[in-house]
Each structure stands twice: as C-alpha cells, then as structure tokens.
Amino acid sequence: MATPPSGPEPYQVDWAAQAGHLRDAAGQERDWYAGVAAALVRAGDRVAMDIGCGGGGMAAALAGALGSGGLVVAADASPEILAEAGRRLDGVPARTELVLADLGEGVEALHAHGPADVVWASASVHHVGDQQAAVTALAGLLAPGGRVALAEGGLPPRRLPWDVGIGEPGLEVRLEAAQDQWFGRMRAGLPGSVPMPYGWTEALRRAGLGAVTSRTALLARPVPLTGEDVERVVAKLTHRVDWLRPTDLLSAADLAAWGRLLDPVDAAFLGRRSDLAWVEARTVHTGVRG
C-alpha cells in the first residue's frame, strides 16, 4: 500500500486511496495467484468469485484456470478498486463480471451470478464486523462440491536484519507489533464488531463446510535481491511506516530511525544495502460444501 489511511480516524481505511497499491500488488504476486488458482480449480468448474477482489490478481488467475468456458465474478465495495480490477481482467480467457458489493449485505447480490464452484476472499473478511457471518454468507454462494478459500493469517514478512545499525535493534519486529495493535483498534471500530475467538478453519466448519484444510506456502526471494525487489521492499516498508505514522503506535525514536532508513539521500538508506530479504508465509484455508 502506498498511502496512509485517511478519514476521521487513523483506524479507518480509505479504500479508494489504496487502489494504486492494490493494482501494483496484483502484478507483483501474479505467480503466487496462478499457483493457488490452479490448485483450487477442478475439472468441470465453471464459476469462480473473488470477493474483495482488490487489484484483480486472483480474479485474473481464476480466469486463466477456468479457461474460455468459465465465468469469474470480481466483487469489491470500492468503485476505484473495482476499476483497477477491471483493467487487469481485460483480455483474460474467461468471461468476467464486475460487481460493486461488500462482504456484508452486498453478498446477497452475488447469488444472481452463481452458484459458484470457487469463492475466494483474501484479507477481506477481517474487515467485516462479524467475520463468522461473512464466512457463512460466502459459503452460501457455493454450488454442491464448491470450495470457499480464505487467504488469512500466515506469517509476516521478514525483510531486515535484526540490527540495521540505526536506532534500537528489532526495528522491524516493533513495526509488526505496531501493525498488530493497529489491526486490533481497526477491528474494534468496525460497525457491528464482534469477537471471533477461534481460527479460520473453525469458522469454515461453523459455516457448514466440510473437508476443511489449511495450506501454507513460503514466498522467498534469493539474496541478494534484484534491484527491482529492493525497490519493492523499500516501497512496502515506506507504506507500512506511513500507514502507522498518524497513530501513537510507533515511538518518536523509531520514526526517526525509519525516516533515515527510507530517505534516498541518507547514507543509511535501505536501498543501498545488499542484505535485505524477502521471506513470508501465506496461508489459505479451504472448506467444501457437501
């Protein structure tokens, strides 16, 4: 993401402002999406839905996996984000439909496009106040034998050495801790927010799905990173720091350290380092309608 959240509170997301970031992420993660889509789509599948589609990366991958006989429905609550998804879907082999709908009451509108063989939701359910109700609504979109796949959880990326020589060691760990606190405050402020004190696999079971599984993939780039990947690492860290800057979750000392590390004219600029990494784990939780 490229800009901090805006709005009356720093824990509310201005999704329109995230359209460019989501577009870039969809392009950067094309290979991961393609691999996951190939594993999800089965022979005979005809309809797939990407709910909270972001930049359209997974919708495009599902279109490739379904082929010319398939239909991919890409849904998002932001017109700006949906427009980015539409640009990515231009020219894909499957037929596509763009639907302006959220993960709340908007899911009902998606029944007109189904039932679906695959329903995909990546990092979108956790933005709904009642996450269990959202998962149950997604399960209701399925045809018999259809699958809901939730990309939630995993492990946060590791990009920096523990000690970068600027500020106190553990700078990236504290950044992750601050993001976790931001997430908690964001969840608490959502309309109708209720706790979900169990994991995503249990949420899928409570939604009436069976054959529930989780699979985690390691995403890692060889070190030293390419120049392009170094730029992406710096951009992602810049986004995260800017995202948290309006809050009280980062100390003044840490903000000063990040200011130097992310400043291209500073001698400590991360873009000059050869020891940056790109390691993270992505988890997908899947349940099947009987």
Side-chain angles (χ1 to χ4, degrees), residues 70-129:
L71 166 66
V72 173
V73 178
D76 204 280
S78 165
E80 294 83 1
I81 290 175
L82 202 60
E84 291 291 351
R87 283 187 275 273
R88 184 160 298 279
L89 291 171
D90 186 34
V92 298
R95 185 164 59 93
T96 61
E97 295 182 9
L98 302 177
V99 179
L100 188 65
D102 61 25
L103 260 171
E105 295 179 0
V107 171
E108 289 300 315
L110 296 170
H111 284 277
H113 304 271
D117 301 297
V118 176
V119 172
W120 169 266
S122 174
S124 53
V125 175
H126 66 233
H127 287 285
V128 180

Side-chain angles (χ1 to χ4, degrees), residues 197-276:
Y198 46 84
W200 294 106
T201 51
E202 179 63 20
L204 290 166
R205 292 188 191 96
R206 294 191 186 196
L209 302 180
V212 175
T213 60
S214 289
R215 290 185 171 85
T216 299
L218 179 68
L219 280 65
R221 307 291 178 94
V223 176
L225 300 179
T226 65
E228 185 177 25
D229 281 343
V230 168
E231 290 178 2
R232 289 173 176 172
V233 165
V234 172
K236 288 176 181 295
L237 289 169
T238 299
H239 170 269
R240 182 60 64 207
V241 173
D242 286 346
W243 186 268
L244 295 168
R245 194 181 301 277
T247 73
D248 60 355
L249 299 174
L250 290 174
S251 70
D254 278 1
L255 283 172
W258 283 114
R260 291 195 59 194
L261 293 169
L262 299 173
D263 183 354
V265 303
D266 195 290
F269 178 52
L270 290 176
R272 298 190 177 91
R273 299 184 71 113
S274 61
D275 58 354
L276 299 184

Side-chain angles (χ1 to χ4, degrees), residues 36-51 58 62-63 65-67 69-73 94-95 110-111 113-121 138-150 204 209-210 285-290:
V36 175
L40 283 175
V41 172
R42 299 175 181 173
D45 285 351
R46 290 293 179 265
V47 180
M49 296 183 178
D50 184 356
I51 315 300
M58 188 56 166
L62 289 168
L66 287 173
L71 166 66
V72 173
V73 178
R95 185 164 59 93
L110 296 170
H111 284 277
H113 304 271
D117 301 297
V118 176
V119 172
W120 169 266
L138 295 179
L141 296 170
L142 293 176
R147 285 81 65 203
V148 167
L150 306 175
L204 290 166
L209 302 180
H285 313 278
T286 307
V288 182
R289 179 180 175 186

